[in-house]
Amino acid sequence: MAHRTIIDGTGYSIKSGRTLINGTGYGIKKGRTLINGTGYDISFGPYLITPDTISQYFVITNSSYYFAGSGSTFTSNNTNVNSSTAKTTLIAKYDMTISFDYSVASEANYDKLTITAAGTSVCTDLSGVNSGSYTGTIKMNQSITFSYTKDGS
């Protein structure tokens, strides 16, 4: 058989244009990906991450204050908590392309956002009113860390 793949000692026949996940072959339309039997629209490779889907792609580690999601926006939950740091680390379950926008509206030079992705600094001590975007690749077991630190006032 052509296009045969061995996973966990079992051979699966995969037809051209099909992807095998969890032992099941799925027909995938161009521009879509499939995780655990569900199809997701993908544009330029990034995955749509929401609070409902994030655990499909990442292992999540939060500090006592962290980034909480609503829709496709994740916001630190240490607003008005002086001398605190919100930190969330996402460890990739798969190799993937990631893309996200970030913004901060904070006390300039005192309250700061820092983001690293796969060991690369995305932004360091960003404060005041600022925003940006990031697109890159992350390999399985690499991490993205979001940290927002508030000073004592």
Side-chain angles (χ1 to χ4, degrees):
M1 274 186 170
H3 306 290
R4 199 161 166 81
T5 302
I6 303 297
I7 299 175
D8 296 327
T10 305
Y12 295 96
S13 177
I14 302 174
K15 294 180 180 177
S16 176
R18 292 174 67 93
T19 300
L20 184 75
I21 298 175
N22 294 336
T24 306
Y26 296 97
I28 310 291
K29 293 180 180 177
K30 186 175 181 181
R32 290 176 64 84
T33 192
L34 190 81
I35 305 289
N36 295 328
T38 304
Y40 295 96
D41 287 315
I42 304 296
S43 58
F44 306 108
Y47 296 85
L48 177 61
I49 303 297
T50 67
D52 294 332
T53 63
I54 195 167
S55 64
Q56 293 178 18
Y57 306 106
F58 298 98
V59 174
I60 305 161
T61 304
N62 288 320
S63 64
S64 55
Y65 295 105
Y66 53 91
F67 286 76
S70 175
S72 60
T73 301
F74 291 80
T75 306
S76 69
N77 66 355
N78 63 332
T79 303
N80 299 319
V81 181
N82 295 336
S83 301
S84 66
T85 298
K87 185 175 180 180
T88 296
T89 299
L90 307 175
I91 301 169
K93 291 183 177 181
Y94 313 97
D95 293 355
M96 66 183 92
T97 298
I98 58 172
S99 179
F100 57 85
D101 297 322
Y102 55 90
S103 64
V104 64
S106 68
E107 185 180 12
N109 302 314
Y110 296 100
D111 300 342
K112 300 173 183 178
L113 175 68
T114 298
I115 304 170
T116 59
T120 300
S121 176
V122 174
C123 68
T124 303
D125 295 340
L126 190 66
S127 69
V129 178
N130 278 293
S131 62
S133 61
Y134 175 80
T135 298
T137 58
I138 188 166
K139 302 239 181 251
M140 183 171 64
N141 295 322
Q142 288 184 322
S143 63
I144 306 167
T145 300
F146 301 88
S147 177
Y148 180 70
T149 301
K150 288 196 47 61
D151 75 339
S153 62

